[in-house]
């Protein structure tokens, strides 16, 4: 799903004939599922145990969204974040090294944006 079409879904707009128009939700429409996670930072450097900062907090937030685990989004990459990273990498078919680099960021972003869950 493109970023534009995801935005359309989240804002109640529709894509028609290549254009974006606003539409009112139908009275019988099911309520939209709440977005539980709003992950901030746009930075995606390679991070691993010992790293700190906004990128770690973003990774922790996205890991919480795609895993049945609760990693504290405190911006400190410790053993629990490493364990969650390894579990996610296993779900995504990646090398389970506990390091969040370009491949893991790419998969994590994809899973987070598309609300894909890894139940590990």
């Amino acid at each position: 799903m493109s970023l534009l079409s995801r935005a359309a879904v989240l804002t109640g707009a529709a894509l028609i004939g290549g254009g974006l128009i606003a539409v009112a939700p139908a009275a019988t429409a099911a309520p939209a599922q709440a977005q539980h996670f709003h992950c901030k930072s746009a930075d995606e450097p390679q991070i691993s145990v010992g790293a700190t900062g906004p990128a770690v907090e973003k990774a922790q937030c996205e890991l919480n969204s795609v895993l049945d685990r609760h990693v504290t989004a405190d911006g400190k990459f410790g053993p629990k974040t490493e364990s969650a990273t390894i579990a996610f990498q296993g779900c995504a078919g990646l090398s389970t090294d506990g390091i969040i680099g370009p491949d893991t960021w790419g998969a994590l972003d994809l899973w987070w944006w598309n609300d894909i869950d890894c139940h590990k």
Side-chain angles (χ1 to χ4, degrees):
M1 178 181 292
S2 74
L3 184 57
L4 181 58
S5 58
R6 180 172 172 87
V9 169
L10 294 176
T11 62
L15 291 172
I16 298 179
L20 181 65
I21 63 167
V23 294
T28 59
Q33 184 177 10
Q35 177 74 25
H36 297 288
F37 298 93
H38 178 72
C39 305
K40 298 177 191 173
S41 175
D43 257 356
E44 294 184 342
Q46 180 169 307
I47 54 176
S48 59
V49 172
T52 60
V56 175
E57 188 174 358
K58 176 185 178 182
Q60 291 167 326
C61 180
E62 289 187 16
L63 287 165
N64 281 332
S65 177
V66 300
L67 293 170
D68 284 337
R69 296 173 184 227
H70 298 287
V71 178
T72 302
D74 60 4
K76 298 175 186 171
F77 200 124
K80 289 182 180 179
T81 302
E82 180 182 38
S83 176
T85 299
I86 291 168
F88 171 72
Q89 289 170 328
C91 280
L94 301 170
S95 172
T96 54
D97 59 8
I99 298 168
I100 301 178
D103 292 339
T104 302
W105 274 120
L108 191 54
D109 289 343
L110 176 72
W111 285 45
W112 180 74
W113 274 107
N114 291 290
D115 297 319
I116 302 170
D117 293 323
C118 169
H119 300 288
K120 283 194 173 194

